[in-house]
Amino acid sequence: MLDIKLIREHPEIIKKDLEKRCEPEKLEMLNQLIKIDKQWRQNLVEANELRHKRKLITTEVANLKKQGKDATKQIEEAKNIPQQIKRLESEVAEFREKADQLLMKLPNILHESVPFGKDEHDNVIERLVGKPPKFDFTPKSHVELASDLGMIDFERAAKVAGHGFYYLKGDLARLDYAVMTYTIDLLRSRGYTLVEPPLMMHRKPYLGVTDLEFFGDQLYKIENDDLYLIATSEHPMAASYMDEVILQKELPIKYVGVSPCFRKEVGAHGKYTKGLFRVHQFNKIEQFIFCHPDDSWKFHEELQKNSEDLYKGLGLHYRVVNVCTGDIGIIAAKKYDIEVWMADGTFREAGSNSNCTDYQARRLNIKYRKKAGQSPFGFVHTLNNTALATSRTLIAILEQYQQKDGSVVIPEVLSPLMGNLERLE
RNA sequence: GCGGGGUUCUCCUAGCCUGGUAGGGAGCAGGCCUGCUAAGUCUGUGGUCCGUAGGGCCACGCGGGUUCGAAUCCCGCACCCCGCGCCA
């Protein structure tokens, strides 16, 4: 959420930023918001004047009664005020609701280093790390490899839960755990606290962490309860400090969250949906930081380094892209994606590193104070970065480490975590 | 799931039965005092709106209702504690 005061006082800053996003309807929303906000304030002043009037009369009534005098005249006079207030208040609430809706849809202000572009084709490649493996045979996809090894079963999962689910079996399931352990160990050694969060959340905190589009397209709702299955552990971690004021000396708070993630993936038609790439449920290790506003750009690079060190440790070929203005979404001020190389020669997204600056914190109302006992000083900054999404990492491992005979070599760093197993075969 | 208790401003707490300006303490910030520190003392402390000064409104878990007036009475919901039940 943007600072409404900034919008009032310097709408030109927001306008200039919105123009970069290639979404003219957002500019229209801004203009509408400015108009509605003004109406809201006018109505609010009127409503407050009425409430003030009521207060004066009721105080008079109270005083008269205290003195044992008759207050019938004053009570009669006050009798028609409540309905006037009610009418005005409902107007105020209406304007406020409309303004909030628009405010929640307006995106974060972009960092200057975000490249201009229309969609994901305009993302800028920052660097390419490692080399693609050389095969003297026709490489298989991870679906073929894992199916042939008897370690994955999409058919039975479809029977039981529908498309987009899978059974991981045997050593491939062990590999999933090894990837998680490897990731958690590395991040713990760098000062991140391991968190197992709730896997369901109420609607209100959910609206704070992400944008409304998520509700239709991604989130599973629990019937008859105000609960949604989480799409990533970022969400419960971010929401954990909702409506709180954090003491500055406790910052930064660094978490490594581990959880299954649930996504409906509505509207994924035409996207790459093969095998494990786009599924309704997968395990993911997520990095999350609450920090002082001055430190977020430093930590954005730290998070990036952590992720890249993880991929380098696994010996995987990947590239980093700086996500462009048209593809970045509304929450982040800047975003790096890591894309891993797959056996069909394509790089596909495996993780995403966002500095949300104060945008998410403002939505969630997470502030900090300089010293105990002092008033809140400002909003914290939040950052989140995939450490490793196991399903997509498994794809990369299977496809990049495959052998001519259909077996798969286990990356050196994972082998000790699987009883020194060297191959899936 | 059932029954009881609870949620008050940054923190702790009074007020609720019996409706009438939300009181006290701590912390923090500032002023006074002081050679300095401490003590003492005074003022301030959240959100929001109008604005030059200054003032208004809101905030007692959340949302409704009753009333001239609600922290207080009524209804619904969330969360916490205690007990009972069910359960891996």
Side-chain angles (χ1 to χ4, degrees), chain A residues 225-265:
Chain A
D225 275 304
D226 175 26
L227 288 171
Y228 298 80
L229 285 173
I230 62 169
T232 159
S233 61
E234 172 208 335
H235 298 157
M237 286 194 286
S240 63
Y241 279 91
M242 178 174 72
D243 294 326
E244 290 193 38
V245 184
I246 305 173
L247 204 52
Q248 185 173 315
K249 72 174 185 201
E250 282 166 19
L251 297 172
I253 295 170
K254 297 181 177 183
Y255 285 148
V256 46
V258 52
S259 83
C261 305
F262 305 94
R263 301 186 180 185
K264 279 160 88 167
E265 301 288 359

Side-chain angles (χ1 to χ4, degrees), chain A residues 43-198:
Chain A
N43 270 43
L44 185 69
V45 168
E46 242 180 280
N48 282 349
E49 278 168 5
L50 261 181
R51 274 194 282 243
H52 183 53
K53 190 172 155 197
R54 177 182 66 184
K55 201 175 210 172
L56 292 179
I57 297 178
T58 57
T59 311
E60 205 185 334
V61 171
N63 284 336
L64 285 171
K65 291 218 166 174
K66 216 183 271 176
Q67 293 163 28
K69 289 181 186 162
D70 179 53
T72 318
K73 201 180 120 226
Q74 282 74 12
I75 290 175
E76 280 306 310
E77 189 192 347
K79 265 199 173 143
N80 61 349
I81 295 181
Q83 52 179 345
Q84 291 179 53
I85 291 181
K86 213 174 216 177
R87 186 180 52 78
L88 261 174
E89 267 179 349
S90 74
E91 274 177 44
V92 170
E94 228 170 274
F95 281 128
R96 187 68 261 158
E97 200 179 316
K98 275 187 204 161
D100 282 342
Q101 271 174 18
L102 289 168
L103 195 56
M104 290 293 258
K105 283 185 194 163
L106 284 177
N108 199 354
I109 295 173
L110 299 163
H111 190 256
E112 55 190 12
S113 63
V114 176
F116 177 80
K118 201 163 97 252
D119 54 38
E120 75 259 29
H121 303 293
D122 296 324
N123 293 344
V124 172
I125 299 167
E126 294 268 322
R127 57 189 163 272
L128 194 62
V129 178
K131 281 184 185 150
K134 281 186 188 140
F135 299 122
D136 57 357
F137 55 93
T138 310
K140 297 180 180 175
S141 75
H142 70 279
V143 179
E144 278 180 279
L145 285 160
S147 299
D148 291 351
L149 288 165
M151 295 180 183
I152 201 158
D153 189 339
F154 287 107
E155 288 76 16
R156 291 197 173 92
K159 178 174 72 182
V160 171
H163 177 261
F165 295 91
Y166 51 93
Y167 288 94
L168 284 189
K169 291 157 68 181
D171 287 337
L172 188 57
R174 291 175 76 204
L175 186 65
D176 192 72
Y177 276 89
V179 166
M180 289 195 276
T181 306
Y182 159 70
T183 307
I184 291 164
D185 287 350
L186 185 127
L187 289 168
R188 285 194 60 235
S189 77
R190 295 185 180 183
Y192 290 70
T193 304
L194 181 61
V195 176
E196 276 191 39

